[in-house]
mmCIF file of all heavy atoms in Angstrom:
data_model
loop_
_atom_site.group_PDB
_atom_site.id
_atom_site.type_symbol
_atom_site.label_atom_id
_atom_site.label_comp_id
_atom_site.label_asym_id
_atom_site.label_seq_id
_atom_site.Cartn_x
_atom_site.Cartn_y
_atom_site.Cartn_z
ATOM 1 N N MET A 1 67.754 -11.677 -52.268
ATOM 2 C CA MET A 1 68.928 -12.307 -51.914
ATOM 3 C C MET A 1 70.065 -11.284 -51.733
ATOM 4 O O MET A 1 70.477 -10.596 -52.702
ATOM 5 C CB MET A 1 69.439 -13.571 -52.800
ATOM 6 C CG MET A 1 70.591 -14.266 -52.253
ATOM 7 S SD MET A 1 70.205 -15.226 -50.757
ATOM 8 C CE MET A 1 69.328 -16.576 -51.397
ATOM 9 N N ALA A 2 70.680 -11.175 -50.572
ATOM 10 C CA ALA A 2 71.752 -10.232 -50.300
ATOM 11 C C ALA A 2 73.116 -11.010 -50.092
ATOM 12 O O ALA A 2 73.111 -12.043 -49.352
ATOM 13 C CB ALA A 2 71.462 -9.339 -49.223
ATOM 14 N N ASP A 3 74.209 -10.615 -50.671
ATOM 15 C CA ASP A 3 75.436 -11.228 -50.350
ATOM 16 C C ASP A 3 76.219 -10.478 -49.375
ATOM 17 O O ASP A 3 76.207 -9.286 -49.297
ATOM 18 C CB ASP A 3 76.276 -11.255 -51.687
ATOM 19 C CG ASP A 3 75.688 -12.116 -52.750
ATOM 20 O OD1 ASP A 3 74.964 -13.044 -52.369
ATOM 21 O OD2 ASP A 3 75.945 -11.913 -53.922
ATOM 22 N N CYS A 4 76.887 -11.236 -48.519
ATOM 23 C CA CYS A 4 77.732 -10.591 -47.342
ATOM 24 C C CYS A 4 78.718 -9.668 -47.960
ATOM 25 O O CYS A 4 79.490 -10.013 -49.019
ATOM 26 C CB CYS A 4 78.443 -11.754 -46.731
ATOM 27 S SG CYS A 4 79.542 -11.214 -45.484
ATOM 28 N N THR A 5 78.881 -8.492 -47.488
ATOM 29 C CA THR A 5 79.786 -7.495 -47.999
ATOM 30 C C THR A 5 81.231 -7.932 -47.702
ATOM 31 O O THR A 5 82.130 -7.537 -48.595
ATOM 32 C CB THR A 5 79.592 -6.163 -47.108
ATOM 33 O OG1 THR A 5 78.236 -5.653 -47.342
ATOM 34 C CG2 THR A 5 80.628 -5.068 -47.537
ATOM 35 N N PHE A 6 81.500 -8.773 -46.818
ATOM 36 C CA PHE A 6 82.870 -9.281 -46.471
ATOM 37 C C PHE A 6 83.214 -10.489 -47.382
ATOM 38 O O PHE A 6 84.174 -10.508 -48.084
ATOM 39 C CB PHE A 6 83.006 -9.442 -45.009
ATOM 40 C CG PHE A 6 84.465 -10.029 -44.759
ATOM 41 C CD1 PHE A 6 85.583 -9.175 -44.826
ATOM 42 C CD2 PHE A 6 84.661 -11.250 -44.388
ATOM 43 C CE1 PHE A 6 86.800 -9.682 -44.667
ATOM 44 C CE2 PHE A 6 85.907 -11.751 -44.129
ATOM 45 C CZ PHE A 6 87.019 -10.818 -44.273
ATOM 46 N N CYS A 7 82.345 -11.540 -47.239
ATOM 47 C CA CYS A 7 82.727 -12.751 -47.819
ATOM 48 C C CYS A 7 81.973 -13.202 -49.112
ATOM 49 O O CYS A 7 82.385 -14.116 -49.786
ATOM 50 C CB CYS A 7 82.666 -13.968 -46.778
ATOM 51 S SG CYS A 7 81.006 -14.449 -46.425
ATOM 52 N N GLY A 8 80.880 -12.437 -49.437
ATOM 53 C CA GLY A 8 80.182 -12.705 -50.557
ATOM 54 C C GLY A 8 79.127 -13.816 -50.609
ATOM 55 O O GLY A 8 78.445 -14.137 -51.564
ATOM 56 N N ARG A 9 79.057 -14.503 -49.454
ATOM 57 C CA ARG A 9 78.036 -15.512 -49.377
ATOM 58 C C ARG A 9 76.680 -14.940 -49.090
ATOM 59 O O ARG A 9 76.518 -13.872 -48.461
ATOM 60 C CB ARG A 9 78.443 -16.615 -48.253
ATOM 61 C CG ARG A 9 79.690 -17.273 -48.489
ATOM 62 C CD ARG A 9 79.785 -18.456 -47.571
ATOM 63 N NE ARG A 9 81.060 -19.189 -47.729
ATOM 64 C CZ ARG A 9 82.140 -18.895 -46.936
ATOM 65 N NH1 ARG A 9 82.041 -18.110 -45.987
ATOM 66 N NH2 ARG A 9 83.270 -19.593 -47.156
ATOM 67 N N PRO A 10 75.586 -15.740 -49.378
ATOM 68 C CA PRO A 10 74.222 -15.188 -49.057
ATOM 69 C C PRO A 10 74.005 -15.080 -47.571
ATOM 70 O O PRO A 10 74.182 -16.051 -46.682
ATOM 71 C CB PRO A 10 73.266 -16.296 -49.631
ATOM 72 C CG PRO A 10 74.174 -17.016 -50.697
ATOM 73 C CD PRO A 10 75.571 -16.943 -50.124
ATOM 74 N N VAL A 11 73.701 -13.966 -46.980
ATOM 75 C CA VAL A 11 73.587 -13.644 -45.690
ATOM 76 C C VAL A 11 72.367 -14.341 -45.128
ATOM 77 O O VAL A 11 72.436 -14.650 -43.883
ATOM 78 C CB VAL A 11 73.518 -12.196 -45.275
ATOM 79 C CG1 VAL A 11 74.760 -11.453 -45.691
ATOM 80 C CG2 VAL A 11 72.407 -11.501 -45.952
ATOM 81 N N GLU A 12 71.346 -14.640 -45.842
ATOM 82 C CA GLU A 12 70.202 -15.244 -45.240
ATOM 83 C C GLU A 12 70.516 -16.651 -44.775
ATOM 84 O O GLU A 12 69.680 -17.238 -43.929
ATOM 85 C CB GLU A 12 69.098 -15.397 -46.400
ATOM 86 C CG GLU A 12 68.290 -14.063 -46.636
ATOM 87 C CD GLU A 12 69.171 -13.082 -47.595
ATOM 88 O OE1 GLU A 12 70.242 -13.495 -48.015
ATOM 89 O OE2 GLU A 12 68.578 -12.072 -47.944
ATOM 90 N N ALA A 13 71.571 -17.294 -45.230
ATOM 91 C CA ALA A 13 71.892 -18.587 -44.713
ATOM 92 C C ALA A 13 72.427 -18.584 -43.363
ATOM 93 O O ALA A 13 72.679 -19.699 -42.782
ATOM 94 C CB ALA A 13 72.859 -19.284 -45.741
ATOM 95 N N HIS A 14 72.655 -17.446 -42.821
ATOM 96 C CA HIS A 14 73.404 -17.368 -41.467
ATOM 97 C C HIS A 14 72.459 -16.556 -40.586
ATOM 98 O O HIS A 14 71.237 -16.737 -40.498
ATOM 99 C CB HIS A 14 74.779 -16.703 -41.704
ATOM 100 C CG HIS A 14 75.648 -17.452 -42.674
ATOM 101 N ND1 HIS A 14 75.645 -17.247 -43.940
ATOM 102 C CD2 HIS A 14 76.480 -18.459 -42.411
ATOM 103 C CE1 HIS A 14 76.544 -18.167 -44.534
ATOM 104 N NE2 HIS A 14 76.983 -18.815 -43.662
ATOM 105 N N ASP A 15 73.199 -15.650 -39.741
ATOM 106 C CA ASP A 15 72.361 -14.810 -38.781
ATOM 107 C C ASP A 15 72.603 -13.397 -39.242
ATOM 108 O O ASP A 15 73.499 -12.808 -38.618
ATOM 109 C CB ASP A 15 72.887 -15.252 -37.442
ATOM 110 C CG ASP A 15 72.044 -14.449 -36.225
ATOM 111 O OD1 ASP A 15 71.014 -13.928 -36.591
ATOM 112 O OD2 ASP A 15 72.624 -14.357 -35.310
ATOM 113 N N PRO A 16 72.036 -12.833 -40.203
ATOM 114 C CA PRO A 16 72.423 -11.725 -40.872
ATOM 115 C C PRO A 16 72.441 -10.456 -40.026
ATOM 116 O O PRO A 16 71.515 -10.183 -39.210
ATOM 117 C CB PRO A 16 71.601 -11.473 -42.190
ATOM 118 C CG PRO A 16 70.378 -12.404 -41.760
ATOM 119 C CD PRO A 16 70.887 -13.488 -40.891
ATOM 120 N N LEU A 17 73.330 -9.502 -40.298
ATOM 121 C CA LEU A 17 73.248 -8.185 -39.706
ATOM 122 C C LEU A 17 73.283 -7.205 -40.946
ATOM 123 O O LEU A 17 73.959 -7.397 -42.025
ATOM 124 C CB LEU A 17 74.648 -8.042 -38.964
ATOM 125 C CG LEU A 17 74.807 -8.823 -37.689
ATOM 126 C CD1 LEU A 17 76.262 -8.598 -37.387
ATOM 127 C CD2 LEU A 17 74.041 -8.181 -36.662
ATOM 128 N N TYR A 18 72.510 -6.123 -40.755
ATOM 129 C CA TYR A 18 72.439 -5.143 -41.843
ATOM 130 C C TYR A 18 72.896 -3.687 -41.254
ATOM 131 O O TYR A 18 72.524 -3.440 -40.098
ATOM 132 C CB TYR A 18 71.060 -4.975 -42.288
ATOM 133 C CG TYR A 18 70.462 -6.207 -42.995
ATOM 134 C CD1 TYR A 18 69.817 -7.184 -42.225
ATOM 135 C CD2 TYR A 18 70.703 -6.484 -44.304
ATOM 136 C CE1 TYR A 18 69.392 -8.411 -42.810
ATOM 137 C CE2 TYR A 18 70.292 -7.674 -44.918
ATOM 138 C CZ TYR A 18 69.602 -8.646 -44.128
ATOM 139 O OH TYR A 18 69.107 -9.832 -44.645
ATOM 140 N N LEU A 19 73.666 -3.073 -42.050
ATOM 141 C CA LEU A 19 74.079 -1.777 -41.750
ATOM 142 C C LEU A 19 73.418 -0.706 -42.732
ATOM 143 O O LEU A 19 73.270 -1.028 -43.905
ATOM 144 C CB LEU A 19 75.739 -1.605 -41.905
ATOM 145 C CG LEU A 19 76.427 -2.448 -40.869
ATOM 146 C CD1 LEU A 19 77.917 -2.083 -41.121
ATOM 147 C CD2 LEU A 19 76.082 -2.233 -39.453
ATOM 148 N N SER A 20 73.019 0.307 -42.193
ATOM 149 C CA SER A 20 72.473 1.459 -42.955
ATOM 150 C C SER A 20 73.037 2.890 -42.651
ATOM 151 O O SER A 20 73.447 2.963 -41.486
ATOM 152 C CB SER A 20 70.970 1.513 -42.801
ATOM 153 O OG SER A 20 70.322 2.604 -43.522
ATOM 154 N N GLU A 21 73.048 3.648 -43.682
ATOM 155 C CA GLU A 21 73.700 4.864 -43.437
ATOM 156 C C GLU A 21 72.849 5.821 -42.596
ATOM 157 O O GLU A 21 73.300 6.709 -41.858
ATOM 158 C CB GLU A 21 73.928 5.648 -44.746
ATOM 159 C CG GLU A 21 74.751 4.849 -45.836
ATOM 160 C CD GLU A 21 76.194 5.339 -45.778
ATOM 161 O OE1 GLU A 21 76.441 6.452 -45.721
ATOM 162 O OE2 GLU A 21 77.103 4.536 -45.907
ATOM 163 N N THR A 22 71.482 5.640 -42.689
ATOM 164 C CA THR A 22 70.461 6.347 -41.971
ATOM 165 C C THR A 22 69.614 5.325 -41.177
ATOM 166 O O THR A 22 69.324 4.310 -41.598
ATOM 167 C CB THR A 22 69.628 7.170 -42.899
ATOM 168 O OG1 THR A 22 69.019 6.347 -43.791
ATOM 169 C CG2 THR A 22 70.548 8.256 -43.563
ATOM 170 N N PRO A 23 69.199 5.782 -39.922
ATOM 171 C CA PRO A 23 68.312 4.880 -39.171
ATOM 172 C C PRO A 23 67.065 4.549 -40.003
ATOM 173 O O PRO A 23 66.362 5.525 -40.487
ATOM 174 C CB PRO A 23 68.159 5.696 -37.989
ATOM 175 C CG PRO A 23 69.098 6.737 -37.778
ATOM 176 C CD PRO A 23 69.548 6.948 -39.288
ATOM 177 N N GLY A 24 66.746 3.196 -40.185
ATOM 178 C CA GLY A 24 65.503 3.000 -40.833
ATOM 179 C C GLY A 24 65.691 2.989 -42.268
ATOM 180 O O GLY A 24 64.760 2.652 -43.012
ATOM 181 N N GLY A 25 66.841 3.300 -42.854
ATOM 182 C CA GLY A 25 67.068 3.502 -44.297
ATOM 183 C C GLY A 25 67.331 2.070 -44.882
ATOM 184 O O GLY A 25 67.384 1.051 -44.321
ATOM 185 N N GLU A 26 67.520 2.092 -46.202
ATOM 186 C CA GLU A 26 67.947 0.968 -46.842
ATOM 187 C C GLU A 26 69.270 0.405 -46.474
ATOM 188 O O GLU A 26 70.227 1.292 -46.333
ATOM 189 C CB GLU A 26 67.994 1.223 -48.378
ATOM 190 C CG GLU A 26 66.574 1.332 -49.057
ATOM 191 C CD GLU A 26 65.827 -0.038 -49.179
ATOM 192 O OE1 GLU A 26 66.410 -0.999 -49.677
ATOM 193 O OE2 GLU A 26 64.745 -0.075 -48.577
ATOM 194 N N PRO A 27 69.440 -0.822 -46.318
ATOM 195 C CA PRO A 27 70.784 -1.302 -45.945
ATOM 196 C C PRO A 27 71.849 -1.053 -47.029
ATOM 197 O O PRO A 27 71.510 -1.283 -48.154
ATOM 198 C CB PRO A 27 70.634 -2.854 -45.775
ATOM 199 C CG PRO A 27 69.126 -3.056 -45.530
ATOM 200 C CD PRO A 27 68.421 -1.938 -46.218
ATOM 201 N N THR A 28 72.937 -0.585 -46.597
ATOM 202 C CA THR A 28 74.015 -0.282 -47.552
ATOM 203 C C THR A 28 75.140 -1.416 -47.569
ATOM 204 O O THR A 28 75.916 -1.624 -48.506
ATOM 205 C CB THR A 28 74.797 1.026 -47.352
ATOM 206 O OG1 THR A 28 75.152 1.023 -45.983
ATOM 207 C CG2 THR A 28 73.812 2.160 -47.548
ATOM 208 N N SER A 29 75.165 -2.180 -46.481
ATOM 209 C CA SER A 29 75.929 -3.388 -46.469
ATOM 210 C C SER A 29 75.422 -4.372 -45.443
ATOM 211 O O SER A 29 74.645 -3.975 -44.652
ATOM 212 C CB SER A 29 77.382 -3.045 -46.064
ATOM 213 O OG SER A 29 77.359 -2.371 -44.811
ATOM 214 N N GLN A 30 75.683 -5.626 -45.693
ATOM 215 C CA GLN A 30 75.158 -6.732 -44.857
ATOM 216 C C GLN A 30 76.206 -7.812 -44.681
ATOM 217 O O GLN A 30 77.138 -8.012 -45.487
ATOM 218 C CB GLN A 30 73.975 -7.337 -45.475
ATOM 219 C CG GLN A 30 74.197 -7.852 -46.910
ATOM 220 C CD GLN A 30 74.051 -6.745 -47.824
ATOM 221 O OE1 GLN A 30 73.153 -5.749 -47.874
ATOM 222 N NE2 GLN A 30 74.850 -6.859 -48.946
ATOM 223 N N PHE A 31 75.988 -8.457 -43.559
ATOM 224 C CA PHE A 31 77.046 -9.480 -43.142
ATOM 225 C C PHE A 31 76.372 -10.696 -42.571
ATOM 226 O O PHE A 31 75.367 -10.662 -42.035
ATOM 227 C CB PHE A 31 78.058 -8.896 -42.120
ATOM 228 C CG PHE A 31 78.748 -7.688 -42.446
ATOM 229 C CD1 PHE A 31 78.149 -6.401 -42.275
ATOM 230 C CD2 PHE A 31 79.908 -7.806 -43.218
ATOM 231 C CE1 PHE A 31 78.752 -5.142 -42.683
ATOM 232 C CE2 PHE A 31 80.532 -6.502 -43.591
ATOM 233 C CZ PHE A 31 79.853 -5.275 -43.357
ATOM 234 N N CYS A 32 77.145 -11.893 -42.760
ATOM 235 C CA CYS A 32 76.511 -13.236 -42.312
ATOM 236 C C CYS A 32 76.311 -13.187 -40.893
ATOM 237 O O CYS A 32 75.286 -13.675 -40.309
ATOM 238 C CB CYS A 32 77.676 -14.262 -42.567
ATOM 239 S SG CYS A 32 78.011 -14.483 -44.186
ATOM 240 N N ASN A 33 77.295 -12.483 -40.096
ATOM 241 C CA ASN A 33 77.219 -12.522 -38.586
ATOM 242 C C ASN A 33 78.272 -11.476 -38.072
ATOM 243 O O ASN A 33 78.859 -10.813 -38.875
ATOM 244 C CB ASN A 33 77.560 -13.939 -38.059
ATOM 245 C CG ASN A 33 78.783 -14.600 -38.791
ATOM 246 O OD1 ASN A 33 79.805 -13.829 -38.864
ATOM 247 N ND2 ASN A 33 78.749 -15.844 -39.069
ATOM 248 N N TYR A 34 78.354 -11.549 -36.738
ATOM 249 C CA TYR A 34 79.344 -10.609 -36.316
ATOM 250 C C TYR A 34 80.795 -10.836 -36.664
ATOM 251 O O TYR A 34 81.629 -9.927 -36.697
ATOM 252 C CB TYR A 34 79.261 -10.566 -34.775
ATOM 253 C CG TYR A 34 78.087 -9.792 -34.193
ATOM 254 C CD1 TYR A 34 76.987 -10.449 -33.618
ATOM 255 C CD2 TYR A 34 78.039 -8.387 -34.305
ATOM 256 C CE1 TYR A 34 75.734 -9.816 -33.276
ATOM 257 C CE2 TYR A 34 76.905 -7.691 -33.756
ATOM 258 C CZ TYR A 34 75.784 -8.307 -33.271
ATOM 259 O OH TYR A 34 74.813 -7.675 -32.856
ATOM 260 N N GLY A 35 81.111 -12.177 -36.927
ATOM 261 C CA GLY A 35 82.388 -12.529 -37.380
ATOM 262 C C GLY A 35 82.842 -11.871 -38.690
ATOM 263 O O GLY A 35 83.906 -11.218 -38.841
ATOM 264 N N CYS A 36 81.882 -11.873 -39.575
ATOM 265 C CA CYS A 36 82.170 -11.205 -40.828
ATOM 266 C C CYS A 36 82.147 -9.607 -40.766
ATOM 267 O O CYS A 36 82.973 -8.959 -41.323
ATOM 268 C CB CYS A 36 81.180 -11.614 -41.916
ATOM 269 S SG CYS A 36 81.598 -13.120 -42.836
ATOM 270 N N LEU A 37 81.266 -9.166 -39.855
ATOM 271 C CA LEU A 37 81.327 -7.582 -39.703
ATOM 272 C C LEU A 37 82.711 -7.248 -39.051
ATOM 273 O O LEU A 37 83.232 -6.303 -39.463
ATOM 274 C CB LEU A 37 80.260 -7.371 -38.663
ATOM 275 C CG LEU A 37 80.110 -5.861 -38.210
ATOM 276 C CD1 LEU A 37 80.029 -4.759 -39.373
ATOM 277 C CD2 LEU A 37 79.064 -5.620 -37.218
ATOM 278 N N SER A 38 83.068 -8.021 -38.133
ATOM 279 C CA SER A 38 84.326 -7.675 -37.377
ATOM 280 C C SER A 38 85.503 -7.769 -38.347
ATOM 281 O O SER A 38 86.389 -6.954 -38.324
ATOM 282 C CB SER A 38 84.521 -8.589 -36.198
ATOM 283 O OG SER A 38 85.710 -8.382 -35.506
ATOM 284 N N ALA A 39 85.554 -8.824 -39.136
ATOM 285 C CA ALA A 39 86.599 -9.033 -39.974
ATOM 286 C C ALA A 39 86.666 -7.946 -41.053
ATOM 287 O O ALA A 39 87.712 -7.484 -41.462
ATOM 288 C CB ALA A 39 86.515 -10.376 -40.706
ATOM 289 N N HIS A 40 85.415 -7.564 -41.488
ATOM 290 C CA HIS A 40 85.429 -6.360 -42.605
ATOM 291 C C HIS A 40 85.887 -5.156 -41.925
ATOM 292 O O HIS A 40 86.728 -4.335 -42.550
ATOM 293 C CB HIS A 40 83.872 -6.243 -42.964
ATOM 294 C CG HIS A 40 83.687 -5.118 -43.877
ATOM 295 N ND1 HIS A 40 84.220 -5.024 -45.190
ATOM 296 C CD2 HIS A 40 83.162 -3.846 -43.578
ATOM 297 C CE1 HIS A 40 83.879 -3.856 -45.643
ATOM 298 N NE2 HIS A 40 83.311 -3.083 -44.657
ATOM 299 N N VAL A 41 85.603 -4.814 -40.621
ATOM 300 C CA VAL A 41 86.073 -3.637 -40.053
ATOM 301 C C VAL A 41 87.576 -3.565 -39.899
ATOM 302 O O VAL A 41 88.213 -2.647 -40.215
ATOM 303 C CB VAL A 41 85.318 -3.475 -38.640
ATOM 304 C CG1 VAL A 41 85.996 -2.456 -37.841
ATOM 305 C CG2 VAL A 41 83.844 -3.218 -38.800
ATOM 306 N N ASP A 42 88.069 -4.739 -39.484
ATOM 307 C CA ASP A 42 89.470 -4.892 -39.285
ATOM 308 C C ASP A 42 90.116 -4.803 -40.780
ATOM 309 O O ASP A 42 91.196 -4.033 -40.852
ATOM 310 C CB ASP A 42 89.899 -6.199 -38.754
ATOM 311 C CG ASP A 42 89.539 -6.321 -37.348
ATOM 312 O OD1 ASP A 42 89.435 -5.243 -36.747
ATOM 313 O OD2 ASP A 42 89.694 -7.496 -36.726
ATOM 314 N N ALA A 43 89.684 -5.395 -41.745
ATOM 315 C CA ALA A 43 90.268 -5.334 -43.078
ATOM 316 C C ALA A 43 90.193 -4.019 -43.677
ATOM 317 O O ALA A 43 91.167 -3.576 -44.446
ATOM 318 C CB ALA A 43 89.615 -6.323 -44.095
ATOM 319 N N ALA A 44 89.106 -3.281 -43.499
ATOM 320 C CA ALA A 44 88.969 -2.027 -44.080
ATOM 321 C C ALA A 44 89.525 -0.951 -43.169
ATOM 322 O O ALA A 44 89.486 0.286 -43.585
ATOM 323 C CB ALA A 44 87.532 -1.727 -44.497
ATOM 324 N N ASP A 45 90.015 -1.199 -41.946
ATOM 325 C CA ASP A 45 90.465 -0.234 -41.063
ATOM 326 C C ASP A 45 89.466 0.799 -40.634
ATOM 327 O O ASP A 45 89.836 2.021 -40.502
ATOM 328 C CB ASP A 45 91.731 0.532 -41.647
ATOM 329 C CG ASP A 45 92.888 0.720 -40.642
ATOM 330 O OD1 ASP A 45 92.805 0.109 -39.564
ATOM 331 O OD2 ASP A 45 93.700 1.363 -40.908
ATOM 332 N N LEU A 46 88.271 0.405 -40.591
ATOM 333 C CA LEU A 46 87.172 1.235 -40.290
ATOM 334 C C LEU A 46 87.062 1.865 -38.893
ATOM 335 O O LEU A 46 86.555 2.831 -38.621
ATOM 336 C CB LEU A 46 85.896 0.636 -40.603
ATOM 337 C CG LEU A 46 85.547 0.169 -42.072
ATOM 338 C CD1 LEU A 46 84.204 -0.495 -42.250
ATOM 339 C CD2 LEU A 46 85.620 1.347 -43.000
ATOM 340 N N ALA A 47 87.696 1.036 -38.068
ATOM 341 C CA ALA A 47 87.655 1.526 -36.639
ATOM 342 C C ALA A 47 88.658 2.561 -36.337
ATOM 343 O O ALA A 47 88.509 3.384 -35.398
ATOM 344 C CB ALA A 47 88.071 0.270 -35.696
ATOM 345 N N THR A 48 89.653 2.837 -37.164
ATOM 346 C CA THR A 48 90.700 3.888 -37.008
ATOM 347 C C THR A 48 90.118 5.223 -37.133
ATOM 348 O O THR A 48 89.465 5.555 -38.228
ATOM 349 C CB THR A 48 91.905 3.672 -37.937
ATOM 350 O OG1 THR A 48 92.415 2.291 -37.879
ATOM 351 C CG2 THR A 48 92.984 4.643 -37.752
ATOM 352 N N GLY A 49 90.149 6.044 -36.146
ATOM 353 C CA GLY A 49 89.759 7.399 -36.210
ATOM 354 C C GLY A 49 88.302 7.523 -36.117
ATOM 355 O O GLY A 49 87.729 8.715 -36.313
ATOM 356 N N SER A 50 87.537 6.483 -35.959
ATOM 357 C CA SER A 50 86.101 6.502 -35.942
ATOM 358 C C SER A 50 85.486 6.594 -34.483
ATOM 359 O O SER A 50 84.283 6.810 -34.409
ATOM 360 C CB SER A 50 85.417 5.422 -36.701
ATOM 361 O OG SER A 50 85.720 4.192 -35.974
ATOM 362 N N ALA A 51 86.330 6.513 -33.455
ATOM 363 C CA ALA A 51 85.782 6.547 -32.137
ATOM 364 C C ALA A 51 85.422 8.080 -31.765
ATOM 365 O O ALA A 51 86.039 8.956 -32.321
ATOM 366 C CB ALA A 51 86.776 6.061 -31.161
ATOM 367 N N CYS A 52 84.418 8.170 -30.828
ATOM 368 C CA CYS A 52 84.104 9.498 -30.476
ATOM 369 C C CYS A 52 85.258 9.970 -29.651
ATOM 370 O O CYS A 52 86.047 9.275 -29.108
ATOM 371 C CB CYS A 52 82.845 9.512 -29.648
ATOM 372 S SG CYS A 52 82.973 8.713 -28.043
ATOM 373 N N GLU A 53 85.231 11.287 -29.285
ATOM 374 C CA GLU A 53 86.430 11.929 -28.616
ATOM 375 C C GLU A 53 86.336 11.882 -27.133
ATOM 376 O O GLU A 53 87.238 12.349 -26.535
ATOM 377 C CB GLU A 53 86.616 13.411 -29.234
ATOM 378 C CG GLU A 53 86.788 13.306 -30.706
ATOM 379 C CD GLU A 53 87.360 14.638 -31.197
ATOM 380 O OE1 GLU A 53 87.633 15.642 -30.403
ATOM 381 O OE2 GLU A 53 87.499 14.934 -32.465
ATOM 382 N N TRP A 54 85.220 11.476 -26.635
ATOM 383 C CA TRP A 54 85.028 11.367 -25.217
ATOM 384 C C TRP A 54 86.114 10.434 -24.565
ATOM 385 O O TRP A 54 86.345 9.380 -25.163
ATOM 386 C CB TRP A 54 83.723 10.839 -24.831
ATOM 387 C CG TRP A 54 83.461 10.761 -23.309
ATOM 388 C CD1 TRP A 54 83.128 11.742 -22.429
ATOM 389 C CD2 TRP A 54 83.570 9.549 -22.530
ATOM 390 N NE1 TRP A 54 82.962 11.316 -21.217
ATOM 391 C CE2 TRP A 54 83.252 10.052 -21.203
ATOM 392 C CE3 TRP A 54 83.833 8.279 -22.775
ATOM 393 C CZ2 TRP A 54 83.296 9.051 -20.160
ATOM 394 C CZ3 TRP A 54 83.957 7.299 -21.731
ATOM 395 C CH2 TRP A 54 83.651 7.729 -20.421
ATOM 396 N N SER A 55 86.731 10.851 -23.533
ATOM 397 C CA SER A 55 87.709 10.126 -22.853
ATOM 398 C C SER A 55 87.455 10.145 -21.311
ATOM 399 O O SER A 55 87.386 11.198 -20.756
ATOM 400 C CB SER A 55 89.050 10.600 -23.172
ATOM 401 O OG SER A 55 90.054 9.924 -22.296
ATOM 402 N N PRO A 56 87.472 9.066 -20.674
ATOM 403 C CA PRO A 56 87.395 9.037 -19.198
ATOM 404 C C PRO A 56 88.500 9.610 -18.502
ATOM 405 O O PRO A 56 88.459 9.952 -17.302
ATOM 406 C CB PRO A 56 87.237 7.585 -18.796
ATOM 407 C CG PRO A 56 87.946 6.929 -19.897
ATOM 408 C CD PRO A 56 87.746 7.705 -21.184
ATOM 409 N N GLU A 57 89.637 9.824 -19.219
ATOM 410 C CA GLU A 57 90.841 10.411 -18.574
ATOM 411 C C GLU A 57 90.736 11.971 -18.340
ATOM 412 O O GLU A 57 91.572 12.532 -17.631
ATOM 413 C CB GLU A 57 92.057 10.085 -19.511
ATOM 414 C CG GLU A 57 92.264 8.602 -19.680
ATOM 415 C CD GLU A 57 92.587 7.844 -18.452
ATOM 416 O OE1 GLU A 57 93.504 8.210 -17.733
ATOM 417 O OE2 GLU A 57 91.979 6.719 -18.325
ATOM 418 N N GLN A 58 89.860 12.564 -19.122
ATOM 419 C CA GLN A 58 89.808 13.959 -19.165
ATOM 420 C C GLN A 58 88.670 14.576 -18.352
ATOM 421 O O GLN A 58 87.566 14.036 -18.334
ATOM 422 C CB GLN A 58 89.815 14.458 -20.578
ATOM 423 C CG GLN A 58 91.071 14.153 -21.340
ATOM 424 C CD GLN A 58 90.954 14.536 -22.798
ATOM 425 O OE1 GLN A 58 89.981 14.966 -23.375
ATOM 426 N NE2 GLN A 58 92.044 14.302 -23.544
HETATM 427 ZN ZN1 LIG B 1 80.078 -13.293 -44.621
#
């Protein structure tokens, strides 16, 4: 049984998503659904500075 990294509810009760540091590796965090994943990213400010540097303007 894994608890959602964001809300702490069991992810198996929903439509779970798993994140891993390495492809095919052990999950390091899991979320009920995209809503919890998105909320966690916003709350932790994970999107800031994490985008690749490619820009269509250049
Ligand atoms: Zn959740």
Side-chain angles (χ1 to χ4, degrees):
M1 185 66 81
D3 292 339
C4 176
T5 299
F6 180 70
C7 73
R9 296 195 184 97
V11 295
E12 284 83 357
H14 302 86
D15 183 19
L17 292 166
Y18 297 92
L19 295 186
S20 177
E21 304 261 322
T22 56
E26 284 291 305
T28 53
S29 54
Q30 56 279 321
F31 301 91
C32 302
N33 50 41
Y34 283 105
C36 277
L37 172 60
S38 177
H40 173 71
V41 167
D42 285 346
D45 218 16
L46 297 179
T48 303
S50 63
C52 69
E53 300 194 7
W54 179 81
S55 169
E57 304 293 313
Q58 297 173 355

